[in-house]
Amino acid sequence: MNLSTLNFAPAVPIPDHLVGEVQSKLAYVDERIASAQISPAGEQISIDLKQPVAESERSAIEEKVQRVVVSMAKGAIRPKVQVLEDYLDRSTPFVGDPMPELMQRGEIHREADGIYTLGPLLTRLIDWFERRFLDLADSFSAKPYRFPTLIPARYLERVGYFRAFPHSLSFATHLRSDLDQIDAFAEGAACDNHDNLNVPPERFAPIQTLLSPAVCYHLYFTLADQLLPPQGVVATAVGNCFRYESLNLNSLERLWNFTMREVIFVGAKEFVLENRELARQRMQRVFEEIGFAYRVESANDPFFIGEFRKQAAFQSAFQLKYEIRARLPFKDGTLAVGSYNYHQDFFGRHLNIQLPDGSAAHTGCVAFGLERIAFAFLAQFGFDANQWPLSMQEILQ
Ligand code: ATP
Ligand code: ZN
């Protein structure tokens, strides 16, 4: 028997619509897991371990996997997927995987899992999309903002982030302000063979700060405990976002450190919903102009195991999230390159953002993943400028 693989049936059937979601969570089950697959119909789980482990330990890992399965799949109801736009079958000229070519051209440099530098082609492509997103923001007279990359733990606590997305948090700390600690660090700090920095945890200050997981939260905290102007607030910002995706970090599709452009609406319910819808229609024209192959469909956020079923059902029932899913021809799949989100009065209530009538403000945002949109574009159009939409060919000159 091969002691470094585990194959077993799930304790409850995993409906096919949850296979991807459950599989992505298996990356967080045990540090000894190297990869985890669930068969497409959800009836078989196979786990590869980094090294052989004893039988009792194998059972312990299996038990943890089953906990995830039961928590996410038991009693799950298939959400009705609502499709608002479907241009997935637009024909596009390229079918290859852009990653090898990007590597070979030196266009990307992998610093670590999920951490990449981008070269001129990707940067110019992102700038091109950024101009379209800024036009979108201008069409709403959005005010520009710049937000920090760090976010206080206290803020995320206040909006329930720790319970909803604990697995993807990234923490920021610094050495204690103590000369002995700083001297000892400066003398001895070095990385081991696993790239781990050899610092005793007690040398670090207590954690008060994290790396920000989203852009729009900063605006809501800016508006906390305030009365909104009658016309509401529309803002736009681009920022670094951090989501630790464990074994799922691969290529430009899933990064630890990525950038998001958001257009954010704060005001009355109708104001937010109407603007979210207008933004979708305006982006539809941009995507049509370049012949992008994509679909806009209802979706849910990647809540952690215990929270997933309840929160995902809530999001579906109230149509809170729609994703722009671009086609990736090389894997016959799709990738979310952006989302149209409505949070109801969640932030308004938790942060005391008031409408002129004293009720809690509603919020919504349109968010684009910049690395992903450039990656999906290259996956559909390749590297030959002659095959690109005319309006984009200048990028390659
Ligand atoms: P909400 O305000 O509802 O929390 P959000 O503003 O956080 O939503 P998401 O839908 O979570 O927005 O993310 C927006 C986009 O950011 C995604 O569609 C995707 O393109 C990009 N994105 C998210 N996670 C990653 C990642 N790990 N790597 C690269 N891009 C990502
Ligand atoms: Zn947002």
Side-chain angles (χ1 to χ4, degrees), residues 147 151-161 215-228 264-266 343-355 358-364:
F147 296 132
I151 193 161
R154 172 69 72 213
Y155 279 20
L156 291 179
E157 180 197 18
R158 227 176 134 184
V159 295
Y161 203 91
V215 171
C216 58
Y217 285 39
H218 293 278
L219 180 74
Y220 309 144
F221 286 109
T222 304
L223 298 174
D225 302 315
Q226 286 183 36
L227 198 59
L228 283 187
I264 310 157
F265 307 104
V266 187
H343 313 113
Q344 300 174 307
D345 60 356
F346 178 85
F347 292 103
R349 275 187 290 112
H350 282 80
L351 303 177
N352 186 31
I353 309 171
Q354 283 180 29
L355 294 172
S359 63
H362 289 237
T363 63

Side-chain angles (χ1 to χ4, degrees), residues 304-318:
F304 201 54
I305 298 157
E307 288 286 292
F308 181 81
R309 204 169 42 198
K310 197 176 72 209
Q311 300 254 33
F314 184 81
Q315 277 191 323
S316 303
F318 293 96

